[in-house]
Amino acid sequence: RAARNRLLSHRRHAKIIASAHFKNSNGGTEADLENTFRACAHGGRADVVKVVTTAFCLEDAIRLVHVAKNVKLKGNPPKIILAMGAVGQISRVFNEFLTPVTHALMPGVAAPGQLSIAEIMTARNMLSIRAPLIREMLIIGRGITMSLAPLLFNTAFKYLHLEHKAKIFDTEEIMGAGAAGEGSGKAAGAAGGTDALVK
């Protein structure tokens, strides 16, 4: 515990994911799971809270999803949930942060019940579970109407089953150039879920 507190107190700019893993347990009752989430939050000092359990029946996975959705944590950190096992796969579908966290080129299954990106996103679409935020990316620059950047971005989004869109914004005035640096390739945030990439 002392080492953990030192890490949380001296992390500087590092982001910390605090997690609890129950390899052979469903995590207990709703109250037990709530206590686990709160313990992982470390009083608001953890940047992300992750709770992994093992589902022995569908109710185990649903309980984890329900608690994660409703538990109130100091600092309101994003939560990652995962109920391992075939009957826990629904938790991977309902997980809202850093999902899907897998890749087709992985050499093997990382945990029991692993789903592919396509399987997760297909299930989410069937259940009308939208991404927390669908973003529009603007590639901003002068004389860039023939740029292949939107094609590259949109192909990647489609491959990952994401609904984000990228398009060209050709202009003589490079908005956000002062913040992102003209030609730097850095993204400048904009309102309404829009990212601007200055070319």
Side-chain angles (χ1 to χ4, degrees), residues 101-151:
V101 283
T102 183
H103 196 278
L105 295 181
M106 287 181 64
V109 175
Q114 179 81 56
L115 294 172
S116 69
I117 292 174
E119 288 170 332
I120 291 174
M121 298 309 291
T122 297
R124 289 176 67 89
N125 288 334
M126 288 177 63
L127 294 170
S128 298
I129 304 173
R130 306 281 291 183
L133 182 61
I134 298 174
R135 306 198 70 89
E136 180 181 73
M137 178 176 286
L138 301 180
I139 294 89
I140 300 175
R142 299 187 186 95
I144 60 169
T145 54
M146 301 301 291
S147 173
L148 294 177
L151 175 62

Side-chain angles (χ1 to χ4, degrees), residues 14-57:
K15 299 294 185 182
I16 293 179
I17 299 177
S19 63
H21 293 246
F22 298 90
K23 186 177 181 180
N24 298 305
S25 169
N26 61 10
T29 65
E30 286 194 11
D32 293 330
L33 286 169
E34 288 176 359
N35 288 333
T36 297
F37 275 100
R38 293 193 181 99
C40 287
H42 291 286
R45 292 187 293 169
D47 297 288
V48 180
V49 169
K50 179 181 179 181
V51 175
V52 179
T53 66
T54 297
F56 300 99
C57 61

Side-chain angles (χ1 to χ4, degrees), residues 38-109:
R38 293 193 181 99
C40 287
H42 291 286
R45 292 187 293 169
D47 297 288
V48 180
V49 169
K50 179 181 179 181
V51 175
V52 179
T53 66
T54 297
F56 300 99
C57 61
L58 183 59
E59 288 76 10
D60 290 340
I62 294 174
R63 185 186 312 114
L64 178 63
V65 172
H66 175 74
V67 172
K69 184 74 173 179
N70 293 284
V71 67
K72 304 300 182 185
L73 303 178
K74 186 174 181 180
N76 195 31
K79 309 177 195 79
I80 300 172
I81 58 168
L82 169 58
M84 295 186 293
V87 291
Q89 290 176 327
I90 192 69
S91 67
R92 299 174 183 270
V93 175
F94 278 90
N95 179 51
E96 294 185 353
F97 186 70
L98 294 181
T99 189
V101 283
T102 183
H103 196 278
L105 295 181
M106 287 181 64
V109 175

Side-chain angles (χ1 to χ4, degrees), residues 7 13 22 28 39 52 61 78 98 111 120 122 135 154 159 161 165 174 179 195-198:
L7 176 64
H13 300 296
F22 298 90
V52 179
L98 294 181
I120 291 174
T122 297
R135 306 198 70 89
N154 290 327
Y159 175 78
H161 296 264
K165 297 293 182 184
I174 307 293
D195 289 322
L197 187 66
V198 180

